[in-house]
Amino acid sequence: MKRVLITGAAGFLGSHLCDRFLSEGFKVIGMDNFITGDEKNIEHLKHESNFNFINHDITEFVSIDTDLDYILHFASPASPIDYLKIPIQTLKVGSLGTHNLLGLAKAKKARILIASTSEVYGDPLVHPQSEKYYGNVNTIGPRGVYDEAKRFQESITMAYHRFHGLETRIVRIFNTYGPRMRLNDGRVIPAFMGQALRGEDLTIFGDGSQTRSFCYVDDQVEGIFRLMFSDYSYPVNIGNPNEITIKDFANEIIKLTGTAQKVIYKDLPKDDPLQRQPDISLAKSLLNWEPKVNRAEGMVKTFNYFKGLSDKELNKREHKDFSKHIKY
Ligand code: NAD
Ligand code: UDP
């Protein structure tokens, strides 16, 4: 059996990747320090004989005492509010953490796939965004801690590929959603769904004319799986090109949830990208991949997940307390 290490395993995407690799017959080692993740995302794997979990902060040296064939590096805060609250941890996990994982991959002769993001395009001046676009990032703005960590992550990954001949893969993930997102992580989908379920008004940042293109988690996982087993070392966009303004999206959520509430407007966060849509021609031709789950279907599945949370979880409005995970 092949063995895979998945960092960020207790997070939203990492936990779905654990499920997928286990179902494909891999031995999976999950690694996480729970800073933005949650133990309950991997609770169902507790008695799974092919799953092991290591509680570890990957910004510290990473040691694995068995062979490894593959590494999926997904550890990093991913929500703008999360990474604004822990900016230094975000920079460290993308830089020092990635360096540790690349060193481990080299020592184990393992292939490594790293999770990059559409944020490498910043507030894009080219639309839709193809892998050829170099981006428009404000290095010193509040989002710079995430965007630049991810850009550094791509650079060091390519350096390990070119200099050490390491087998590397880079996925540029566009907004992905589904069950196991943290309700209070501040991202727009859990935010709107939590507000609808609690009977609060939906908070639109700015005038709501900014766009996003939302990809359901199963489609994202399929794209990542195919990329890992392709022979392509350069970045590949994986996302759903179906673009919508945040204002229209809020109205879709109001209809879906049947809430009697309305929308209210708050300030647009600094450097919030005004438009985002992946050009997925490369993924289509290289991986024969395209998304299959439309937004209506994916949102129902996601809403059913949030509806199933306990009242206690639903009413945890305040942001997660990160203090016990932080070491300087
Ligand atoms: P998430 O916050 O749910 O998961 C991230 C996980 O990484 C959490 O479980 C967290 O505890 C863990 N982690 C963070 N720092 C760590 C550290 N130093 N050591 C060990 N574990 C650590 O977020 P997600 O949405 O699942 O995102 C996963 C990855 O995908 C991230 O790298 C993110 O940048 C990338 N990504 C996600 C999206 C998306 O739309 N979901 C979009 C672009 C990129
Ligand atoms: N947003 C919003 N209301 C919220 C949360 C987010 O209008 O309560 C907006 C946010 O300003 C951004 C979009 O929704 O334009 C997507 O935000 P998210 O935090 O999900 O991720 P981003 O794509 O910005 O990384």
Side-chain angles (χ1 to χ4, degrees):
M1 278 173 106
K2 299 281 188 195
R3 196 178 275 111
V4 55
L5 169 70
I6 301 181
T7 74
F12 160 53
L13 290 179
S15 64
H16 285 280
L17 286 163
C18 290
D19 290 347
R20 175 64 186 264
F21 276 80
L22 285 166
S23 77
E24 298 279 350
F26 287 76
K27 276 191 180 295
V28 175
I29 303 172
M31 184 173 281
D32 205 295
N33 70 345
F34 300 115
I35 189 162
T36 61
D38 195 326
E39 272 176 86
K40 77 177 190 323
N41 288 339
I42 46 170
E43 207 167 73
H44 61 291
L45 302 178
K46 225 168 32 192
H47 302 297
E48 173 66 61
S49 59
N50 288 325
F51 182 71
N52 283 302
F53 182 76
I54 303 174
N55 184 339
H56 182 67
D57 177 343
I58 62 145
T59 64
E60 310 279 342
F61 186 80
V62 182
S63 164
I64 299 286
D65 52 15
T66 58
D67 289 346
L68 281 179
D69 300 289
Y70 300 101
I71 299 175
L72 291 142
H73 175 28
F74 277 67
S76 168
S79 131
I81 297 184
D82 280 356
Y83 58 73
L84 295 187
K85 284 188 180 280
I86 39 176
I88 296 166
Q89 284 67 31
T90 302
L91 281 157
K92 282 172 75 176
V93 76
S95 54
L96 307 181
T98 302
H99 187 213
N100 287 337
L101 268 306
L102 288 164
L104 180 69
K106 177 166 148 278
K108 301 284 182 186
K109 299 188 170 46
R111 180 182 296 177
I112 181 167
L113 179 147
I114 62 138
S116 187
T117 165
S118 50
E119 284 281 326
V120 300
Y121 303 121
D123 188 3
L125 305 176
V126 165
H127 196 70
Q129 295 78 53
S130 90
E131 293 83 352
K132 293 194 182 85
Y133 180 48
Y134 292 162
N136 175 41
V137 172
N138 175 3
T139 57
I140 57 168
R143 295 174 90 104
V145 298
Y146 180 70
D147 301 9
E148 289 303 332
K150 292 290 186 180
R151 289 167 68 99
F152 173 84
Q153 186 183 47
E154 291 196 1
S155 302
I156 192 171
T157 299
M158 288 310 298
Y160 266 73
H161 173 67
R162 294 193 178 110
F163 190 75
H164 291 304
L166 194 68
E167 284 195 43
T168 54
R169 306 286 179 267
I170 299 174
V171 57
R172 287 189 182 151
I173 301 169
F174 282 67
N175 295 66
T176 299
Y177 69 96
R180 301 189 197 149
M181 292 185 94
R182 212 174 77 237
L183 188 71
N184 64 356
D185 80 3
R187 286 188 269 192
V188 69
I189 292 173
F192 282 176
M193 290 195 175
Q195 288 160 346
L197 284 167
R198 291 188 297 265
E200 296 166 2
D201 291 335
L202 273 59
T203 51
I204 291 184
F205 297 164
D207 63 5
S209 63
Q210 73 272 33
T211 68
R212 292 295 184 274
S213 310
F214 298 112
C215 180
Y216 189 64
V217 61
D218 292 356
D219 285 330
Q220 184 62 243
V221 165
E222 181 62 33
I224 291 167
F225 194 82
R226 290 188 191 202
L227 177 61
M228 177 57 113
F229 297 104
S230 75
D231 57 6
Y232 191 75
S233 303
Y234 295 95
V236 179
N237 288 342
I238 299 286
N240 188 323
N242 190 346
E243 186 184 12
I244 186 169
T245 65
I246 293 300
K247 191 174 179 181
D248 288 347
F249 181 61
N251 287 321
E252 277 191 7
I253 297 292
I254 287 174
K255 265 204 203 114
L256 164 72
T257 58
T259 175
Q261 303 302 126
K262 53 181 193 335
V263 299
I264 52 169
Y265 292 88
K266 295 204 163 178
D267 289 346
L268 188 68
K270 182 156 174 47
D271 299 330
D272 194 299
L274 293 183
Q275 48 180 6
R276 180 181 290 159
Q277 181 191 35
D279 176 336
I280 57 164
S281 331
L282 181 61
K284 276 186 181 163
S285 61
L286 190 73
L287 311 174
N288 191 24
W289 173 89
E290 62 183 322
K292 301 263 181 292
V293 183
N294 67 35
R295 196 168 54 243
E297 200 187 330
M299 289 301 160
V300 169
K301 291 181 194 216
T302 308
F303 186 52
N304 287 341
Y305 168 78
F306 286 124
K307 267 199 299 199
L309 296 180
S310 65
D311 283 349
K312 190 170 162 229
E313 282 173 297
L314 193 60
N315 286 308
K316 249 193 255 157
R317 274 188 202 72
E318 74 287 357
H319 210 76
K320 187 169 173 174
D321 175 12
F322 295 127
S323 55
K324 71 172 186 284
H325 299 280
I326 297 179
K327 283 183 269 160
Y328 286 101

